[in-house]
Amino acid sequence: MSTFISAQPNTSTDKKTIRKTGVLIVNLGTPDSPSVPDVRKYLRQFLMDERVIDIPFVNRWLLINLIIAPFRAPKSAKIYKQLWRPDGSPLKIYGFAVKEKLQQVLGNDFVVELAMRYQSPSIENGLKALRQQTLSEIIIVPFFPQYASASTGSVYQEVMRVVKDWQILPEIRFVNRFLDHPKFIEGFAKLGKKYMAERSYDHFVFSYHGLPERQILKGDVTGSFCQFGSCCDTLDHRNQHCYRAQCFETTRLLVKEMNIPEGKYTTCFQSRLGKNPWIKPYTDEVIPELTKKGVKTALAFSPAFVADCLETTIEVGEEYKEIFEKAGGTHWQLVESLNDGDIWIEALEDLITKPAV
């Protein structure tokens, strides 16, 4: 005689009691401190990423470990010291603030963790914390408005490296990009309008982080569409994943939102490294050309970054200001990033709870 106990059919499980969603928000990363050893450690991890410097491993290892990290780290450490706040790196400070605000907005059905692609808190530790919550779904939100293999693609790859050996995998959803999200555009436009209300500007500069041209060409699956020219005048199915085209589209959306006239704005690219060609035009070359045309006042945006960091505060806000003034300009103003502003939290809430169809 056998005996078994069956589940009782007269009791139902509320779906909400078993479905809980994890959210991993991911930014690029920052050294743990502005000391030379910590900056060197950060540079090594960042630049050894095969999606960031896409050359053969041995060549990359030699370049990073024998040339870039030893010689660049002391210089970069000095710059990070200018950026550093008493409570730490702005990128990380804003990241934790966003995490807390987003957790409040999303409520108890969500668990939010912050991660950095490079250094701490790591993606691996963030996913480990979410895994322990026995979640039904994990949503990965890279903090990069425009998709690029070296940024969003690298986050995807690291997430898959971490979870590939998990015995049980929950649903995993990635936010691919959000350059055209209405609240993202509204957020930067509102910040810009604040400065536009205070004074008039001769020109508006939209500076994005650069990439090597070879990475853009690698992403052109048509093999012939990318020409580094008018192909970026529109964003459609052929170039929807092209970083350069997405940047020009971001500018068009912001220009429209702020009613900036044609001819009064420029899209350009910063932070190039090495001698190989990067996507153009280069911001540091655009600036002197603007002053030659009589531009005396300029309002600068960095819409590839959602939190202020070395590339916004120091590079665009200070270094490019110096170039502008030396070339004859009189007033250069950086528009700050979204940081932990309410409209950015609203944008994230939408991206998480209202996925694109």
Side-chain angles (χ1 to χ4, degrees):
M1 181 177 178
S2 62
T3 303
F4 67 92
I5 300 173
S6 62
Q8 297 301 312
N10 59 346
T11 60
S12 60
T13 302
D14 183 354
K15 189 175 181 180
K16 283 189 173 182
T17 65
I18 62 170
R19 287 199 66 87
K20 201 165 188 176
T21 299
V23 177
L24 188 69
I25 55 175
V26 187
N27 212 331
L28 184 72
T30 177
D32 289 333
S33 82
S35 70
V36 173
D38 280 344
V39 171
R40 185 180 294 118
K41 180 181 177 183
Y42 169 74
L43 289 175
R44 281 177 172 152
Q45 186 186 10
F46 173 35
L47 298 175
M48 277 302 295
D49 186 335
E50 64 185 354
R51 286 180 176 265
V52 173
I53 297 185
D54 54 336
I55 60 177
F57 174 80
V58 173
N59 294 355
R60 187 169 67 251
W61 192 96
L62 293 171
L63 176 66
I64 303 310
N65 290 281
L66 300 184
I67 300 174
I68 295 181
F71 293 101
R72 192 183 179 99
K75 180 181 176 181
S76 295
K78 290 180 181 178
I79 299 172
Y80 273 111
K81 285 177 182 176
Q82 297 175 44
L83 176 73
W84 226 254
R85 290 170 25 174
D87 47 350
S89 166
L91 194 78
K92 195 176 290 188
I93 292 166
Y94 288 126
F96 280 113
V98 169
K99 172 192 169 183
E100 295 303 320
K101 290 184 176 183
L102 190 58
Q103 183 67 73
Q104 281 189 328
V105 168
L106 292 174
N108 294 331
D109 291 336
F110 292 81
V111 180
V112 182
E113 291 289 341
L114 170 70
M116 299 290 170
R117 174 60 186 91
Y118 311 105
Q119 298 301 285
S120 62
S122 69
I123 288 176
E124 185 164 5
N125 285 340
L127 287 170
K128 181 180 179 181
L130 291 176
R131 185 187 187 191
Q132 292 171 345
Q133 298 288 327
T134 61
L135 304 165
S136 298
E137 180 184 18
I138 295 176
I139 302 170
I140 312 295
V141 188
F143 274 15
F144 311 115
Q146 304 84 16
Y147 175 90
S149 172
S151 54
T152 309
S154 179
V155 170
Y156 285 15
Q157 183 168 307
E158 177 65 6
V159 168
M160 299 314 295
R161 182 194 71 78
V162 172
V163 305
K164 65 181 175 62
D165 295 325
W166 288 10
Q167 191 66 34
I168 296 174
L169 282 167
E171 296 175 35
I172 298 179
R173 173 164 68 86
F174 292 92
V175 173
N176 184 269
R177 65 184 193 188
F178 50 86
L179 66 102
D180 54 354
H181 191 284
K183 291 187 183 296
F184 169 74
I185 295 299
E186 183 186 350
F188 265 108
K190 277 188 172 181
L191 291 169
K193 287 177 181 177
K194 174 184 68 175
Y195 292 104
M196 293 164 70
E198 295 172 355
R199 65 180 302 155
S200 62
Y201 288 90
D202 298 331
H203 205 81
F204 300 84
V205 176
F206 295 87
S207 182
Y208 299 82
H209 200 287
L211 287 176
E213 286 185 354
R214 67 175 181 272
Q215 293 189 10
I216 303 297
L217 291 172
K218 280 182 179 181
D220 180 14
V221 295
T222 71
S224 61
F225 185 73
C226 180
Q227 302 295 324
F228 297 112
S230 60
C231 52
C232 292
D233 288 349
T234 59
L235 191 68
D236 59 30
H237 67 283
R238 296 167 297 179
N239 63 357
Q240 61 181 308
H241 298 300
C242 169
Y243 174 76
R244 186 175 187 271
Q246 292 172 74
C247 291
F248 277 95
E249 177 71 4
T250 307
T251 295
R252 286 190 290 268
L253 293 170
L254 287 169
V255 162
K256 182 179 179 181
E257 185 73 14
M258 291 184 286
N259 296 313
I260 297 173
E262 281 297 320
K264 291 198 68 173
Y265 64 90
T266 301
T267 297
C268 44
F269 301 90
Q270 65 192 76
S271 308
R272 66 187 185 275
L273 178 67
K275 296 181 180 179
N276 290 326
W278 283 45
I279 50 178
K280 301 177 184 69
Y282 301 141
T283 307
D284 59 353
E285 293 182 0
V286 162
I287 293 170
E289 291 302 315
L290 290 176
T291 59
K292 286 179 184 177
K293 295 175 182 177
V295 171
K296 293 294 184 182
T297 59
L299 188 62
F301 297 78
S302 293
F305 301 91
V306 296
D308 280 320
C309 54
L310 186 146
E311 288 83 359
T312 62
T313 304
I314 303 297
E315 189 171 11
V316 180
E318 296 184 14
E319 293 176 4
Y320 290 162
K321 178 182 180 181
E322 184 177 348
I323 293 173
F324 184 69
E325 291 176 347
K326 281 185 177 180
T330 59
H331 184 77
W332 173 275
Q333 176 63 57
L334 169 67
V335 176
E336 64 269 25
S337 295
L338 301 180
N339 294 325
D340 61 345
D342 290 344
I343 198 162
W344 173 223
I345 305 301
E346 291 172 14
L348 286 169
E349 182 185 13
D350 276 357
L351 290 167
I352 292 161
T353 62
K354 302 171 186 176
V357 179

